[in-house]
Amino acid sequence: MNFQTIDLSSVITLTREDFVKLCAANPDMKLERTAKGELIVMSPTGGETGSFNFDLNGELYLWNREFKSGKAFDSSTGFSLPKGSDRSPDAAWISLAKWESLTTEQRKGFLPLCPEFLIELLSPSDSWKQGEVKMQEYMDNGCILGWLIDPKHKRVAIYRQGQPVEILDNPKTLDGENVLPNFVLQSGHIFGWD
């Protein structure tokens, strides 16, 4: 997914409230906001990345439907992270306990929390470095387990709270570990050998 970061600080301070209004006024745009108030405008993905992302969300949905231990979200879901940014990971999950702690009003808007599990899928034009920065931001905001998936270079960075990042080259499967017990993603189709 191509994106542009726009620094609006010379004109306005883009607050979280302003950002939510901007998103509501432009529902067809994919937008994020950094903790500094910078606006991130993202273009739609290409067909291959869109298909991979759909598969990832489908696998997470099927697992969640079977085990019913939380709520899963696609890339259109906004999360207002505790340290100030507003992000939309490609796939995300929170436990039922976190979901049930939210009010009815909170559930309707950007969720005021960080997902416990999430996936970021790089498009062919995305930068690995930018993906790493985004994943670290999620970890700094309380994510427990995250996967940065790079289909172009057939690698995955696994982020775990309080642990060093683990890089896997061309893994056949990815395991949800103790965050998503029994969730195993067959990653072959993403890397082109399935």
Side-chain angles (χ1 to χ4, degrees), residues 28-121:
D28 295 333
M29 299 204 57
K30 182 144 171 70
L31 305 171
E32 291 183 336
R33 187 183 70 87
T34 69
K36 296 179 196 173
E38 298 163 320
L39 180 65
I40 301 170
V41 181
M42 293 172 276
S43 64
T45 64
E48 191 172 76
T49 301
S51 179
F52 292 158
N53 198 40
F54 184 80
D55 289 344
L56 292 171
N57 278 281
E59 293 293 328
L60 184 59
Y61 164 78
L62 290 172
W63 171 85
N64 196 57
R65 186 178 70 174
E66 181 177 348
F67 292 97
K68 298 176 179 61
S69 60
K71 294 286 184 180
F73 305 92
D74 69 8
S75 62
S76 63
T77 307
F79 291 87
S80 292
L81 302 181
K83 295 190 176 183
S85 60
D86 298 287
R87 298 292 190 169
S88 299
D90 291 315
W93 179 88
I94 64 172
S95 64
L96 281 178
K98 259 195 175 182
W99 177 253
E100 291 169 355
S101 73
L102 299 172
T103 67
T104 302
E105 282 306 306
Q106 288 174 321
R107 292 176 184 181
K108 291 178 183 176
F110 283 32
L111 298 177
L113 50 81
C114 185
E116 290 158 90
F117 168 77
L118 62 88
I119 301 171
E120 283 290 349
L121 177 67

Side-chain angles (χ1 to χ4, degrees), residues 1-12:
M1 176 179 298
N2 289 322
F3 67 90
Q4 293 291 321
T5 301
I6 303 170
D7 182 355
L8 302 170
S9 64
S10 64
V11 186
I12 65 165

